[in-house]
Amino acid sequence: MDQTNSSVVTEFVLVGLTQSLGMQFLLFLLFSTFYVGIILGNLFIVFTVISDSHLHSPMYILLANLSLIDLGLSSTTVPRMISDLFSDCKTISFHNCMIQMFFIHVTGGVEMVLLIVMAYDRYTAICKPLHYLTIMNPQMCMLLVVAAWITGVTHAVFQFAFVINLPFCGPNNVGSFYCDFPRVIKLACIDNYGLEFVVTANSGFISMGTFFLLIVSYIFILVTVRQHSSKDLSKAFFTLSNHITVVFLFFLPCMFLYVWPFPTKSLDTFFAIVDFAVTPVLNPAIYTLRNRDMKVAIRRLSRQVVSSREMT
């Protein structure tokens, strides 16, 4: 028998979040609200950064890119998660499953690199303020954004190449509400221990290493500031607290999903929802409500809107 992907397994079975009709309605309202908030919040940041010339600096250009990536990451899973709540047959075609996995890891990889770039941007601004505009010039900023996209695509292609040609000859229950490489690899009709290790190393260990690298870099920045002036320490910590919060929100679920040796379905589902739905809706609030420049830009934008209405 020719065991090819197209002739043996044409679709995968996804697992619903709940069987209770009441909980389905509650989750529908909750995730629909979250997704609308993700769309409006992140696009609002992008629009504000583009429309306000005072925000045309590397930090806010990177923030706008992070908002677009958050929207893309959420869109890979949340719309389908919402539509599947009331579906009796929760299946996804083989090709759509592959596409979903690919874009999850593209956007996840890009976000990982963007958070590193944003940490470097803050290090330069706080520790080398006189050279900041020289180092983080527009060309360098654009180069770093392009590098983030190249890294994200390379990361996804590397994993995708291992999975796309695997033989799937029967079991097709993914065991989750979305497709991801570790779960799909387990369904392959071969000894998959080596492949699981590769995926864990490529996603989990890189996430864990990047997380600790970022935390160490933020600690280094704070220590450097303290050595120069203890008065500036609280100001630097307030500036970095937004970034540190986002780093924790993004990396902790990733490390649990890919590295934690004793996974359970309920915790996997919880951390996946945090990664795809909660973090993307919180990031706009974190970067607007606790950022003075963004709040000033929002007030300036609202005054422009009011004045334009009065003129009409």
Side-chain angles (χ1 to χ4, degrees), residues 87-181:
S87 175
D88 294 327
C89 184
K90 298 175 176 62
T91 59
I92 183 171
S93 70
F94 178 88
H95 296 293
N96 285 341
C97 181
M98 295 295 122
I99 291 170
Q100 185 181 56
M101 292 191 296
F102 180 77
F103 281 104
I104 284 174
H105 284 264
V106 168
T107 52
V110 174
E111 179 153 352
M112 190 181 301
V113 179
L114 277 178
L115 290 172
I116 295 173
V117 173
M118 292 175 79
Y120 176 70
D121 174 76
R122 290 301 84 202
Y123 164 76
T124 308
I126 294 173
C127 298
K128 299 182 179 181
L130 298 179
H131 303 284
Y132 176 67
L133 294 178
T134 303
I135 297 173
M136 291 299 293
N137 56 67
Q139 293 79 12
M140 175 59 71
C141 187
M142 183 61 65
L143 182 64
L144 291 172
V145 171
V146 171
W149 276 99
I150 292 174
T151 304
V153 172
T154 303
H155 161 75
V157 168
F158 179 79
Q159 305 229 58
F160 192 72
F162 283 98
V163 178
I164 188 63
N165 291 317
L166 289 177
F168 297 95
C169 55
N172 66 341
N173 192 319
V174 176
S176 181
F177 65 88
Y178 71 103
C179 290
D180 201 3
F181 288 121

XYZ file of all heavy atoms in Angstrom, residues 87-181:
750
model
N -19.490 23.254 16.640
C -19.413 22.259 15.571
C -19.361 20.846 16.149
O -18.612 20.568 17.091
C -18.161 22.515 14.714
O -17.992 21.510 13.751
N -20.168 19.964 15.565
C -20.154 18.569 16.003
C -18.971 17.810 15.403
O -18.464 16.859 16.000
C -21.464 17.874 15.597
C -22.672 18.435 16.326
O -22.505 18.844 17.495
O -23.766 18.486 15.730
N -18.559 18.224 14.222
C -17.449 17.553 13.539
C -16.262 18.505 13.479
O -16.152 19.342 12.577
C -17.883 17.130 12.133
S -16.634 16.190 11.240
N -15.384 18.390 14.446
C -14.241 19.308 14.552
C -13.047 18.699 13.819
O -12.183 18.060 14.412
C -13.907 19.571 16.017
C -15.040 20.247 16.794
C -14.703 20.370 18.260
C -15.779 21.134 19.013
N -17.097 20.468 18.980
N -13.028 18.881 12.519
C -11.937 18.341 11.716
C -11.258 19.465 10.952
O -11.850 20.523 10.694
C -12.445 17.293 10.713
O -13.425 17.890 9.842
C -13.066 16.106 11.443
N -10.011 19.230 10.602
C -9.237 20.170 9.795
C -8.508 19.370 8.730
O -7.976 18.285 9.007
C -8.244 20.974 10.681
C -7.478 22.006 9.847
C -7.293 20.067 11.432
C -6.654 22.981 10.687
N -8.525 19.841 7.506
C -7.873 19.107 6.426
C -6.367 19.031 6.655
O -5.789 19.853 7.379
C -8.162 19.775 5.078
O -7.494 21.021 4.987
N -5.763 18.039 6.039
C -4.313 17.849 6.183
C -3.559 19.119 5.793
O -2.665 19.582 6.510
C -3.859 16.675 5.320
C -2.382 16.427 5.367
C -1.824 15.609 6.335
C -1.530 17.024 4.437
C -0.450 15.387 6.385
C -0.163 16.813 4.479
C 0.374 15.990 5.455
N -3.941 19.705 4.648
C -3.221 20.884 4.157
C -3.450 22.087 5.057
O -2.509 22.851 5.326
C -3.651 21.191 2.712
C -3.288 20.112 1.736
N -1.986 19.820 1.423
C -4.050 19.248 1.024
C -1.943 18.820 0.547
N -3.192 18.462 0.279
N -4.684 22.268 5.535
C -4.943 23.389 6.438
C -4.220 23.231 7.767
O -3.792 24.213 8.379
C -6.450 23.535 6.680
C -7.163 24.138 5.493
O -6.547 24.763 4.630
N -8.471 23.960 5.433
N -4.077 21.993 8.207
C -3.320 21.720 9.434
C -1.855 22.113 9.244
O -1.256 22.750 10.114
C -3.445 20.243 9.806
S -2.577 19.778 11.317
N -1.283 21.743 8.096
C 0.105 22.091 7.801
C 0.284 23.615 7.724
O 1.252 24.175 8.242
C 0.544 21.450 6.477
C 0.572 19.936 6.483
S 1.798 19.244 7.611
C 0.739 18.243 8.651
N -0.681 24.284 7.081
C -0.610 25.739 6.944
C -0.703 26.404 8.315
O 0.040 27.349 8.616
C -1.738 26.247 6.018
C -1.468 25.799 4.583
C -1.854 27.770 6.077
C -2.632 26.041 3.635
N -1.614 25.912 9.162
C -1.767 26.480 10.500
C -0.467 26.352 11.297
O -0.006 27.324 11.920
C -2.907 25.799 11.249
C -3.194 26.425 12.612
C -4.303 25.721 13.360
O -4.239 24.513 13.594
N -5.330 26.468 13.749
N 0.127 25.173 11.280
C 1.381 24.965 12.011
C 2.478 25.879 11.490
O 3.242 26.465 12.273
C 1.823 23.500 11.904
C 0.930 22.520 12.626
S 1.645 20.858 12.734
C 1.715 20.404 10.995
N 2.545 25.999 10.168
C 3.598 26.821 9.573
C 3.489 28.270 10.036
O 4.481 28.874 10.482
C 3.510 26.735 8.039
C 4.559 27.550 7.329
C 5.864 27.092 7.241
C 4.241 28.766 6.749
C 6.844 27.844 6.586
C 5.204 29.515 6.101
C 6.504 29.053 6.014
N 2.296 28.844 9.963
C 2.145 30.257 10.311
C 2.208 30.497 11.809
O 2.604 31.583 12.254
C 0.856 30.816 9.711
C 0.973 31.134 8.249
C 0.418 30.297 7.295
C 1.680 32.244 7.827
C 0.552 30.580 5.943
C 1.826 32.540 6.480
C 1.261 31.705 5.523
N 1.831 29.508 12.623
C 2.028 29.645 14.070
C 3.508 29.841 14.377
O 3.890 30.704 15.171
C 1.491 28.403 14.814
C -0.040 28.439 14.877
C 2.057 28.328 16.236
C -0.659 27.176 15.464
N 4.347 29.053 13.714
C 5.773 29.127 14.023
C 6.465 30.283 13.301
O 7.490 30.778 13.801
C 6.437 27.784 13.714
C 6.143 26.747 14.743
N 6.996 26.477 15.794
C 5.061 25.950 14.935
C 6.466 25.548 16.562
N 5.292 25.212 16.063
N 5.937 30.731 12.172
C 6.472 31.949 11.552
C 6.245 33.139 12.468
O 7.184 33.871 12.820
C 5.828 32.212 10.170
C 6.171 33.627 9.686
C 6.318 31.209 9.145
N 4.980 33.348 12.863
C 4.663 34.506 13.711
C 5.303 34.383 15.090
O 5.781 35.381 15.647
C 3.142 34.658 13.857
O 2.565 33.404 14.280
C 2.504 35.065 12.536
N 5.341 33.172 15.641
C 5.992 32.978 16.937
C 7.474 33.258 16.872
O 8.044 33.892 17.776
N 8.127 32.803 15.802
C 9.560 33.051 15.638
C 9.868 34.525 15.439
O 10.835 35.051 16.002
N 9.043 35.207 14.646
C 9.244 36.645 14.429
C 9.067 37.407 15.741
O 9.868 38.298 16.068
C 8.260 37.179 13.367
C 8.376 38.707 13.261
C 8.531 36.552 12.010
N 8.039 37.046 16.517
C 7.807 37.746 17.789
C 8.971 37.536 18.745
O 9.376 38.461 19.455
C 6.503 37.279 18.436
C 6.223 37.961 19.757
C 4.747 38.048 20.097
O 3.922 37.713 19.246
O 4.433 38.470 21.221
N 9.525 36.339 18.764
C 10.658 36.046 19.638
C 11.837 36.972 19.318
O 12.439 37.575 20.219
C 11.072 34.581 19.480
C 12.070 34.090 20.497
S 12.509 32.353 20.196
C 10.919 31.563 20.326
N 12.146 37.106 18.030
C 13.272 37.951 17.625
C 12.954 39.426 17.871
O 13.831 40.202 18.286
C 13.635 37.699 16.151
C 14.792 38.605 15.718
C 14.013 36.242 15.930
N 11.702 39.836 17.621
C 11.332 41.231 17.870
C 11.503 41.612 19.341
O 11.934 42.725 19.656
C 9.883 41.479 17.447
C 9.624 41.776 15.964
C 8.133 41.945 15.716
C 10.388 43.011 15.505
N 11.178 40.685 20.246
C 11.357 40.964 21.668
C 12.840 41.117 22.013
O 13.209 41.934 22.864
C 10.721 39.861 22.507
C 9.181 39.832 22.477
C 8.654 38.594 23.181
C 8.604 41.094 23.112
N 13.704 40.342 21.335
C 15.148 40.503 21.521
C 15.596 41.870 21.007
O 16.369 42.586 21.662
C 15.913 39.378 20.795
C 15.604 38.014 21.419
C 17.422 39.640 20.824
C 16.185 36.847 20.653
N 15.105 42.249 19.831
C 15.456 43.539 19.237
C 14.978 44.687 20.127
O 15.692 45.691 20.319
C 14.862 43.662 17.823
C 15.081 45.070 17.268
C 15.485 42.634 16.890
N 13.780 44.553 20.689
C 13.262 45.599 21.576
C 14.091 45.711 22.849
O 14.284 46.812 23.385
C 11.797 45.314 21.908
C 10.864 45.468 20.708
S 9.153 44.991 21.030
C 8.568 46.454 21.892
N 14.607 44.585 23.337
C 15.496 44.621 24.495
C 16.798 45.336 24.138
O 17.313 46.151 24.927
C 15.786 43.204 24.978
N 17.337 45.053 22.949
C 18.557 45.734 22.495
C 18.311 47.226 22.321
O 19.169 48.064 22.669
C 19.031 45.128 21.172
C 20.223 45.826 20.578
C 21.475 45.725 21.174
C 20.104 46.594 19.418
C 22.573 46.382 20.632
C 21.186 47.243 18.870
C 22.424 47.129 19.484
O 23.513 47.782 18.947
N 17.127 47.579 21.807
C 16.754 48.986 21.645
C 16.737 49.703 22.994
O 17.252 50.815 23.127
C 15.380 49.074 20.980
C 14.866 50.498 20.924
O 15.347 51.276 20.087
O 13.972 50.835 21.736
N 16.151 49.077 24.014
C 16.093 49.681 25.352
C 17.484 49.758 25.977
O 17.805 50.734 26.670
C 15.149 48.893 26.255
C 13.675 49.011 25.905
C 13.196 50.459 25.944
N 13.476 51.170 24.686
C 13.562 52.484 24.569
N 13.418 53.249 25.629
N 13.796 53.047 23.407
N 18.318 48.737 25.739
C 19.685 48.775 26.251
C 20.435 49.966 25.660
O 21.123 50.713 26.378
C 20.415 47.478 25.904
C 21.914 47.575 26.044
C 22.529 47.560 27.290
C 22.714 47.712 24.901
C 23.907 47.683 27.410
C 24.090 47.828 25.011
C 24.685 47.815 26.272
O 26.038 47.937 26.377
N 20.308 50.161 24.361
C 20.999 51.267 23.693
C 20.483 52.615 24.188
O 21.262 53.536 24.449
C 20.808 51.168 22.167
O 21.165 49.864 21.720
C 21.668 52.202 21.446
N 19.145 52.732 24.330
C 18.556 54.007 24.752
C 18.933 54.365 26.185
O 19.155 55.543 26.497
C 17.038 53.933 24.616
N 19.023 53.366 27.071
C 19.276 53.634 28.490
C 20.763 53.688 28.806
O 21.222 54.557 29.542
C 18.575 52.560 29.362
C 17.057 52.684 29.222
C 18.984 52.693 30.828
C 16.286 51.571 29.905
N 21.528 52.776 28.226
C 22.951 52.681 28.573
C 23.861 53.488 27.645
O 24.973 53.837 28.032
C 23.387 51.217 28.570
S 22.527 50.201 29.791
N 23.400 53.779 26.427
C 24.200 54.558 25.487
C 23.340 55.648 24.845
O 23.176 55.685 23.616
C 24.797 53.652 24.405
C 25.735 52.578 24.941
C 26.325 51.742 23.827
C 27.286 50.694 24.370
N 27.884 49.874 23.287
N 22.779 56.531 25.649
C 21.819 57.511 25.113
C 22.413 58.454 24.071
O 21.715 58.870 23.146
C 21.366 58.275 26.367
C 22.460 58.072 27.367
C 23.005 56.704 27.104
N 23.685 58.808 24.214
C 24.306 59.742 23.275
C 24.498 59.122 21.896
O 24.592 59.840 20.890
C 25.649 60.234 23.830
C 25.585 61.025 25.149
C 26.982 61.419 25.590
C 24.700 62.261 24.995
N 24.597 57.792 21.847
C 24.825 57.108 20.571
C 23.560 56.416 20.061
O 23.615 55.705 19.055
C 25.943 56.066 20.732
C 27.228 56.631 21.235
N 28.077 57.363 20.446
C 27.804 56.586 22.473
C 29.133 57.732 21.148
N 28.997 57.284 22.383
N 22.437 56.627 20.755
C 21.220 55.878 20.435
C 20.762 56.101 18.993
O 20.528 55.142 18.249
C 20.099 56.267 21.404
C 18.776 55.620 21.084
C 18.601 54.245 21.213
C 17.691 56.370 20.640
C 17.394 53.638 20.916
C 16.473 55.776 20.340
C 16.332 54.411 20.483
O 15.142 53.816 20.183
N 20.633 57.351 18.581
C 20.136 57.648 17.237
C 21.119 57.224 16.154
O 20.709 56.958 15.015
C 19.826 59.142 17.114
C 18.661 59.653 17.980
C 18.495 61.153 17.811
C 17.376 58.921 17.623
N 22.392 57.153 16.510
C 23.384 56.682 15.539
C 23.302 55.169 15.367
O 23.353 54.649 14.240
C 24.799 57.074 15.991
O 24.867 58.489 16.169
C 25.834 56.632 14.961
N 23.167 54.458 16.497
C 23.110 52.996 16.440
C 21.765 52.513 15.893
O 21.704 51.711 14.965
C 23.358 52.395 17.843
C 24.757 52.755 18.328
C 23.163 50.883 17.827
C 25.040 52.352 19.765
N 20.669 53.024 16.486
C 19.330 52.601 16.070
C 18.751 53.577 15.041
O 17.675 54.150 15.216
C 18.412 52.494 17.289
C 18.737 51.356 18.229
S 18.609 49.730 17.447
C 16.854 49.636 17.151
N 19.473 53.744 13.941
C 18.982 54.600 12.869
C 17.897 53.866 12.078
O 17.717 52.651 12.240
C 20.147 55.031 11.958
C 20.893 53.822 11.407
O 20.353 53.049 10.620
N 22.138 53.646 11.847
N 17.140 54.572 11.233
C 16.042 53.921 10.492
C 16.476 52.708 9.684
O 15.750 51.714 9.604
C 15.523 55.045 9.588
C 15.862 56.305 10.320
C 17.157 56.028 11.006
N 17.665 52.785 9.078
C 18.149 51.657 8.282
C 18.403 50.431 9.165
O 18.034 49.302 8.802
C 19.435 52.042 7.534
C 19.264 53.081 6.448
C 19.163 54.493 6.980
O 19.436 54.750 8.164
N 18.768 55.425 6.119
N 19.015 50.655 10.332
C 19.266 49.549 11.247
C 17.954 48.959 11.763
O 17.800 47.744 11.875
C 20.126 50.030 12.422
C 20.354 48.970 13.513
S 21.175 47.468 12.896
C 22.835 48.123 12.614
N 17.005 49.822 12.075
C 15.707 49.365 12.560
C 15.018 48.486 11.521
O 14.502 47.411 11.839
C 14.831 50.572 12.903
S 13.278 50.145 13.703
N 15.017 48.944 10.260
C 14.406 48.154 9.194
C 15.144 46.842 8.982
O 14.521 45.787 8.772
C 14.410 48.969 7.891
C 13.720 48.272 6.729
S 11.976 47.934 7.052
C 11.346 49.620 7.177
N 16.469 46.873 9.079
C 17.273 45.659 8.915
C 16.945 44.637 10.004
O 16.822 43.431 9.731
C 18.763 46.026 8.967
C 19.758 44.877 8.765
C 19.617 44.281 7.374
C 21.186 45.361 9.001
N 16.759 45.105 11.227
C 16.444 44.200 12.335
C 15.050 43.596 12.187
O 14.832 42.421 12.511
C 16.565 44.954 13.665
C 17.978 45.358 14.071
C 17.951 46.266 15.298
C 18.842 44.123 14.354
N 14.104 44.387 11.683
C 12.756 43.863 11.441
C 12.792 42.791 10.354
O 12.168 41.727 10.482
C 11.785 45.000 11.063
C 10.445 44.433 10.590
C 11.570 45.930 12.242
N 13.519 43.060 9.276
C 13.657 42.067 8.195
C 14.339 40.805 8.720
O 13.937 39.682 8.391
C 14.442 42.674 7.007
C 14.778 41.589 5.978
C 13.641 43.790 6.356
N 15.365 40.981 9.553
C 16.054 39.828 10.144
C 15.107 38.999 11.000
O 15.184 37.759 11.024
C 17.245 40.303 10.975
N 14.193 39.672 11.715
C 13.206 38.954 12.525
C 12.313 38.090 11.643
O 12.031 36.927 11.973
C 12.372 39.951 13.325
N 11.876 38.636 10.518
C 11.020 37.872 9.607
C 11.781 36.707 8.973
O 11.246 35.597 8.849
C 10.458 38.789 8.523
C 9.229 39.506 8.961
C 9.132 40.777 9.426
C 7.900 38.970 8.991
N 7.832 41.084 9.745
C 7.052 39.995 9.486
C 7.349 37.741 8.648
C 5.680 39.814 9.643
C 5.980 37.554 8.809
C 5.154 38.578 9.304
N 13.010 36.947 8.588
C 13.821 35.869 8.001
C 14.023 34.748 9.011
O 13.907 33.559 8.688
C 15.174 36.418 7.511
C 14.970 37.357 6.316
C 16.115 35.268 7.127
C 16.230 38.052 5.857
N 14.301 35.112 10.256
C 14.494 34.109 11.314
C 13.214 33.322 11.563
O 13.248 32.094 11.707
C 14.949 34.795 12.616
O 16.132 35.550 12.377
C 15.227 33.755 13.701
N 12.067 34.027 11.619
C 10.800 33.343 11.844
C 10.457 32.372 10.736
O 10.029 31.236 11.000
N 10.641 32.791 9.495
C 10.351 31.909 8.359
C 11.312 30.719 8.344
O 10.895 29.574 8.115
C 10.432 32.699 7.035
C 10.338 31.751 5.846
C 9.328 33.747 6.967
N 12.598 30.975 8.613
C 13.585 29.886 8.647
C 13.245 28.873 9.730
O 13.320 27.650 9.512
C 14.989 30.457 8.891
O 15.295 31.423 7.878
C 16.038 29.346 8.863
N 12.868 29.361 10.906
C 12.478 28.486 12.008
C 11.306 27.602 11.610
O 11.302 26.390 11.855
C 12.116 29.342 13.222
C 11.304 28.641 14.248
N 11.825 27.706 15.121
C 9.968 28.721 14.554
C 10.866 27.253 15.916
N 9.739 27.850 15.587
N 10.278 28.200 10.966
C 9.090 27.434 10.571
C 9.415 26.429 9.466
O 8.945 25.284 9.509
C 7.986 28.387 10.124
N 10.195 26.848 8.489
C 10.556 25.950 7.387
C 11.359 24.763 7.900
O 11.161 23.621 7.460
C 11.353 26.723 6.309
C 11.983 25.758 5.307
C 10.442 27.714 5.591
N 12.253 25.015 8.845
C 13.076 23.942 9.411
C 12.197 22.864 10.027
O 12.412 21.668 9.824
C 14.025 24.537 10.457
C 14.913 23.512 11.118
C 16.046 23.040 10.470
C 14.617 23.020 12.377
C 16.860 22.099 11.066
C 15.420 22.081 12.988
C 16.553 21.615 12.332
N 11.179 23.263 10.793
C 10.280 22.293 11.412
C 9.348 21.666 10.380
O 9.066 20.465 10.420
C 9.445 22.975 12.504
C 10.274 23.676 13.558
C 9.831 23.297 14.952
O 9.835 22.144 15.321
N 9.449 24.292 15.721
N 8.860 22.487 9.462
C 7.912 22.024 8.445
C 8.535 20.933 7.573
O 7.852 19.976 7.179
C 7.493 23.225 7.593
C 6.322 22.957 6.700
C 5.050 22.826 7.227
C 6.486 22.860 5.334
C 3.964 22.592 6.412
C 5.412 22.631 4.507
C 4.138 22.492 5.039
N 9.823 21.075 7.277
C 10.498 20.109 6.415
C 10.517 18.711 7.029
O 10.507 17.705 6.305
C 11.926 20.571 6.132
N 10.537 18.642 8.369
C 10.549 17.341 9.030
C 9.172 16.680 9.024
O 9.068 15.458 9.100
C 11.022 17.493 10.483
C 12.507 17.660 10.627
C 13.053 18.918 10.774
C 13.345 16.563 10.595
C 14.430 19.082 10.906
C 14.719 16.713 10.731
C 15.267 17.976 10.877
N 8.114 17.470 8.938
C 6.761 16.941 9.144
C 6.025 16.652 7.847
O 5.281 15.677 7.757
C 5.937 17.935 10.007
C 4.504 17.442 10.190
C 6.592 18.125 11.366
N 6.226 17.482 6.838
C 5.378 17.437 5.652
C 5.410 16.084 4.947
O 4.404 15.647 4.369
C 5.778 18.574 4.676
C 4.781 18.671 3.523
C 7.194 18.376 4.176
C 3.384 19.036 3.929
N 6.539 15.381 4.991
C 6.646 14.106 4.280
C 6.551 12.883 5.186
O 6.843 11.765 4.749
C 7.970 14.058 3.494
C 7.987 15.033 2.338
O 7.002 15.156 1.611
N 9.088 15.743 2.177
N 6.136 13.072 6.438
C 5.966 11.926 7.326
C 4.787 11.070 6.882
O 3.789 11.591 6.381
C 5.729 12.399 8.764
C 6.908 13.019 9.515
C 6.448 13.494 10.892
C 8.043 12.029 9.652
N 4.874 9.754 7.071
C 3.734 8.884 6.728
C 2.681 8.886 7.844
O 2.990 8.596 8.990
C 4.388 7.502 6.593
C 5.578 7.558 7.500
C 6.063 8.979 7.486
N 1.448 9.227 7.506
C 0.330 9.188 8.453
C -0.640 8.117 7.971
O -1.285 8.284 6.939
C -0.356 10.555 8.532
C 0.532 11.647 9.054
C 1.223 12.466 8.189
C 0.674 11.846 10.425
C 2.045 13.483 8.662
C 1.497 12.848 10.914
C 2.185 13.662 10.036
N -0.749 7.036 8.711
C -1.476 5.871 8.205
C -2.672 5.467 9.061
O -3.110 4.322 8.991
C -0.523 4.676 8.065
S 0.369 4.276 9.582
N -3.210 6.344 9.853
C -4.391 5.922 10.613
C -4.798 6.889 11.706
O -5.738 7.671 11.530
N -4.113 6.891 12.856
C -4.510 7.783 13.958
C -4.453 9.240 13.501
O -3.458 9.680 12.934
C -3.460 7.509 15.045
C -2.900 6.174 14.706
C -2.940 6.063 13.209
N -5.532 9.957 13.712
C -5.571 11.349 13.239
C -6.179 12.309 14.254
O -6.564 13.419 13.904
C -6.334 11.447 11.922
C -7.805 11.104 12.072
O -8.207 10.468 13.053
N -8.614 11.501 11.110
N -6.266 11.892 15.530
C -6.778 12.776 16.575
C -5.620 13.577 17.164
O -4.739 13.026 17.832
C -7.477 11.963 17.672
C -8.272 12.848 18.616
O -7.823 13.922 19.001
N -9.456 12.398 18.995
N -5.626 14.879 16.912
C -4.526 15.749 17.340
C -4.481 15.877 18.859
O -3.414 16.063 19.450
C -4.653 17.131 16.662
C -3.579 18.086 17.166
C -4.551 16.991 15.155
N -5.641 15.810 19.506
C -5.691 15.922 20.960
C -5.653 17.351 21.472
O -5.360 17.591 22.640
N -5.959 18.319 20.592
C -5.976 19.719 20.990
C -6.920 20.470 20.061
O -7.426 19.906 19.086
C -4.573 20.313 20.924
O -4.572 21.672 21.340
N -7.151 21.760 20.352
C -8.050 22.548 19.510
C -7.333 23.166 18.320
O -7.955 23.880 17.522
C -8.744 23.637 20.340
C -7.813 24.684 20.890
C -7.490 25.808 20.154
C -7.254 24.544 22.162
C -6.633 26.779 20.656
C -6.402 25.509 22.672
C -6.088 26.624 21.917
N -6.043 22.899 18.180
C -5.276 23.413 17.046
C -4.159 22.442 16.711
O -3.798 21.567 17.502
C -4.708 24.793 17.363
C -3.583 24.776 18.384
C -2.253 24.903 17.991
C -3.838 24.622 19.744
C -1.226 24.890 18.914
C -2.826 24.609 20.675
C -1.523 24.742 20.255
O -0.490 24.711 21.175
N -3.611 22.568 15.502
C -2.496 21.724 15.070
C -1.173 22.344 15.502
O -0.989 23.559 15.394
C -2.501 21.573 13.545
S -3.838 20.572 12.881
N -0.260 21.501 15.964
C 1.093 21.954 16.248
C 2.036 20.786 16.013
O 1.642 19.615 16.090
C 1.217 22.477 17.675
C 2.419 23.401 17.829
O 3.098 23.665 16.825
O 2.684 23.854 18.958
N 3.274 21.089 15.719
C 4.233 20.073 15.312
C 4.357 18.914 16.289
O 4.314 17.749 15.876
C 5.606 20.710 15.066
C 5.661 21.551 13.823
C 6.001 22.889 13.890
C 5.377 21.008 12.584
C 6.048 23.673 12.750
C 5.422 21.778 11.431
C 5.760 23.119 11.511
